[in-house]
Amino acid sequence: MNEFNLIRNYFETSSYQRRDVKVGIGDDAAITQIPDGQYLATTTDTLLESVHFLEGSAPNAIAHKSLAVNLSDLAAMGAEPAWINLSLSIPSADELWLSEFSNKIRELTEYFSIQLIGGDTVKGDLAITITAQGFVPPDSILTRSSAKPGDWIFVTGTLGDAAAGLDVLLGKLDVHDLTHKNALVNRHYYPTPRVLAGQTLRRLASSCIDISDGLLQDMQHVLNASSVGAVLNLDQLPISKALGKSIPHLEQALEYACTGGDDYELLFTVPEVHRVSVESAMASYNIPCTCIGQVTGAQGKLELRLNDEAYALSGKQSTGFQHF
Ligand code: ADP
Ligand code: MG
């Protein structure tokens, strides 16, 4: 199969189609129409085999995660996703791999009503780069830099599951209950981008970030960007039943929740005046969210508390994931 047949067979028709795409896959560039009065949000993430996903991961899991991490970045900006570009480096034109991969792309583009509008295909070590674009009204951009002292700190969903799932796969964590084990492993392979939550937080949250490298590290990014501090109450961290039941020691569960990467939940701050609106909006969409602390004026300082007492994590990697 040559490159052009590969693109035609697996990508040209493997996507939901949108009316705002004037020229899609097949020409030298895509042409798209941005809605009047909206801004364009653009983000890119690359996933490398053995760095971002385990060698031998199922193609549908690789496709899912590649897309999810990008949609999560758009969600954290309050943007509505619209278009994606896919740059694929593959060692060979393995038809089974390509069809499973592209089927997942089709399924997710349909679910999110987004269109694959172009990309690139090369031979090389397995690497997937997706660029995602979306729209945001000019008065509702969510950034990391506007948290204010007194704001409440919230997270969506539960924390630490994906990292625990990875440890299960690596044989570092033993989970006997099969339901809990599958729940953790699935959160590692199939993270859920909080697309609707991000748009719900427009004009309500004062800052927002998605948790990709662990709660503490991503919280610190917000503190640095906003020149504020924070107190986090670790007893309030949302821990899933699967994680809580699998790990008898609270310390270790907290370690996963604080430093485990790849959860792709949203971490956001809310001024007191909007707290009730946020809680009821999230409840109306059935999006779980939990208040875990408060922003302070102590520039850059992150204080951890457990049952109202100062707390320090004991683990070695208490700063979260870093490439370099
Ligand atoms: P060019 O050589 O002009 O850069 P390519 O041969 O790389 O074009 O690509 C042909 C068309 O197929 C382009 O529209 C490009 O965007 C699209 N394309 C290539 N690879 C992919 C892919 N993996 N996913 C989606 N579209 C792709
Ligand atoms: Mg060309």
Side-chain angles (χ1 to χ4, degrees):
M1 186 174 33
N2 70 30
E3 180 193 334
F4 304 108
N5 287 335
L6 187 159
I7 296 167
R8 188 168 329 110
N9 292 350
Y10 295 104
F11 296 109
E12 207 162 307
T13 53
S14 76
S15 167
Y16 178 82
Q17 306 283 304
R18 290 172 59 101
R19 299 219 327 238
D20 54 13
V21 177
K22 304 305 165 189
V23 179
I25 293 173
D27 220 309
D28 291 314
I31 306 283
T32 52
Q33 184 175 21
I34 303 169
D36 276 353
Q38 303 239 26
Y39 285 169
L40 186 66
T42 305
T43 184
T44 297
D45 261 311
T46 296
L47 270 68
L48 299 175
E49 186 171 49
S50 304
V51 177
H52 301 95
F53 55 88
L54 296 173
E55 212 181 316
S57 291
N60 74 61
I62 299 171
H64 183 108
K65 189 166 175 188
S66 309
L67 189 53
V69 300
N70 278 284
L71 295 184
S72 176
D73 280 328
L74 288 185
M77 302 300 290
E80 173 196 339
W83 312 309
I84 56 168
N85 270 266
L86 167 66
S87 194
L88 199 56
S89 169
I90 41 177
S92 68
D94 178 335
E95 303 205 16
L96 201 63
W97 194 97
L98 282 163
S99 89
E100 207 184 303
F101 182 91
S102 60
N103 280 342
K104 178 55 91 172
I105 296 286
R106 178 183 301 111
E107 178 194 321
L108 291 177
T109 59
E110 274 163 10
Y111 182 82
F112 289 107
S113 307
I114 59 181
Q115 186 169 339
L116 175 64
I117 59 170
D120 201 16
T121 307
V122 298
K123 186 172 175 175
D125 288 341
L126 187 56
I128 298 93
T129 301
I130 289 184
T131 298
Q133 294 180 298
F135 314 131
V136 58
D139 63 348
S140 354
I141 305 168
L142 291 174
T143 65
R144 304 175 177 190
S145 56
S146 311
K148 298 278 179 299
D151 291 352
W152 299 102
I153 300 169
F154 281 85
V155 283
T156 57
T158 58
L159 299 176
D161 299 328
L166 176 61
D167 276 356
V168 168
L169 292 169
L170 293 175
K172 294 184 188 168
L173 177 66
D174 251 348
V175 177
H176 297 293
D177 183 299
L178 210 59
T179 309
H180 296 331
K181 185 174 176 174
N182 287 340
L184 297 175
V185 167
N186 271 331
R187 277 214 62 194
H188 165 76
Y189 279 132
Y190 304 99
T192 309
R194 293 288 185 182
V195 172
L196 181 61
Q199 289 167 67
T200 305
L201 293 172
R202 289 173 175 176
R203 288 183 291 271
L204 294 173
S206 52
S207 75
C208 188
I209 190 171
D210 68 323
I211 304 180
S212 51
D213 298 328
L215 170 67
L216 300 191
Q217 191 169 312
D218 289 316
M219 182 81 251
Q220 195 66 50
H221 290 317
V222 173
L223 302 188
N224 296 347
S226 298
S227 301
V228 293
V231 173
L232 293 182
N233 301 313
L234 301 191
D235 37 293
Q236 287 161 8
L237 295 189
I239 307 277
S240 69
K241 191 172 161 200
L243 184 63
K245 296 263 184 212
S246 304
I247 296 176
H249 303 293
L250 177 68
E251 278 252 308
Q252 200 191 354
L254 289 179
E255 188 87 24
Y256 276 118
C258 285
T259 66
D262 283 348
D263 280 323
Y264 301 101
E265 295 295 349
L266 295 183
L267 171 65
F268 54 97
T269 58
V270 178
E272 169 66 22
V273 285
H274 293 320
R275 182 172 175 163
V276 173
S277 308
V278 163
E279 285 173 333
S280 60
M282 292 299 213
S284 74
Y285 289 120
N286 269 324
I287 302 166
C289 78
T290 312
C291 182
I292 59 167
Q294 197 166 20
V295 178
T296 69
Q299 265 199 24
K301 188 163 177 257
L302 180 55
E303 254 181 89
L304 305 182
R305 287 195 194 148
L306 185 67
N307 303 323
D308 290 327
E309 285 184 24
Y311 184 82
L313 288 169
S314 60
K316 291 177 217 95
Q317 19 150 297
S318 51
T319 48
F321 183 78
Q322 288 200 23
H323 279 282
F324 298 102

